[in-house]
């Protein structure tokens, strides 16, 4: 089955760290840009970060800038989101989505547009809870 699967969520104390994974099944992530976004209960969906075809092409939203790193490991067919100094307001379900590289203009434009429903693949999410 062709799918994206997120993992790595869980309960963490404020100030802690988590590494989320977005792994592709039955297709190759090499040809796709990846977006991470999140949604907390009762709140609107919010962009987190995106990566293009290489780890030199990234974008971060202000809410996570300086605390998070997105990077891809094509050998593992996985994109990671390393999140540090976590805050209670980071609590949400985190999703990843994949967009075919030849269909995007820039990673920043893709990320800021946030049209996840139009991307080629989307995962079902992993829950992150930041609480003491």
């Amino acid at each position: 089955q062709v799918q994206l699967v997120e993992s790595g969520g869980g309960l963490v104390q404020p100030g802690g760290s988590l590494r989320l994974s977005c792994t592709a099944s039955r297709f190759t992530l090499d040809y796709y840009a990846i977006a991470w976004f999140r949604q907390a209960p009762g709140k609107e969906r919010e962009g987190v970060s995106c990566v293009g075809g290489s780890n030199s092409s990234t974008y971060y939203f202000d809410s996570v800038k300086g605390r998070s790193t997105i990077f891809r490991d094509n050998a593992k067919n996985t994109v990671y989101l390393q999140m540090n100094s976590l805050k209670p307001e980071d609590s949400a379900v985190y999703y990843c989505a994949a967009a075919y590289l030849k269909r995007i203009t820039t990673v920043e434009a893709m990320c800021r547009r946030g049209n996840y429903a139009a991307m080629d693949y989307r995962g079902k999410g992993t829950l992150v809870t930041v609480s003491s």
Side-chain angles (χ1 to χ4, degrees):
Q1 185 178 359
V2 176
Q3 59 182 350
L4 277 178
V5 179
E6 302 93 337
S7 62
L11 174 63
V12 62
Q13 292 188 342
S17 298
L18 279 177
R19 179 175 291 185
L20 306 183
S21 300
C22 173
T23 300
S25 176
R26 297 189 178 276
F27 73 99
T28 302
L29 273 185
D30 299 32
Y31 306 112
Y32 292 85
I34 301 297
W36 280 99
F37 60 101
R38 65 189 182 187
Q39 188 160 22
K43 294 188 177 181
E44 291 192 359
R45 191 175 55 198
E46 177 186 23
V48 176
S49 181
C50 299
V51 63
S54 74
N55 289 326
S56 62
S57 181
T58 60
Y59 181 84
Y60 298 91
F61 284 84
D62 288 346
S63 58
V64 301
K65 193 177 295 183
R67 301 188 294 123
S68 298
T69 303
I70 188 171
F71 60 100
R72 59 192 308 147
D73 185 340
N74 288 344
K76 295 183 179 180
N77 217 25
T78 299
V79 170
Y80 300 95
L81 181 68
Q82 175 70 39
M83 302 185 67
N84 304 320
S85 303
L86 283 162
K87 307 174 184 179
E89 51 263 44
D90 293 318
S91 297
V93 178
Y94 283 70
Y95 302 88
C96 63
Y100 191 51
L101 280 167
K102 290 188 176 181
R103 282 200 280 267
I104 70 169
T105 51
T106 67
V107 172
E108 178 175 345
M110 179 193 80
C111 220
R112 291 165 64 89
R113 189 175 299 118
N115 191 2
Y116 308 112
M119 293 184 181
D120 298 278
Y121 302 102
R122 289 159 302 281
K124 294 183 179 180
T126 185
L127 177 63
V128 172
T129 304
V130 184
S131 175
S132 55

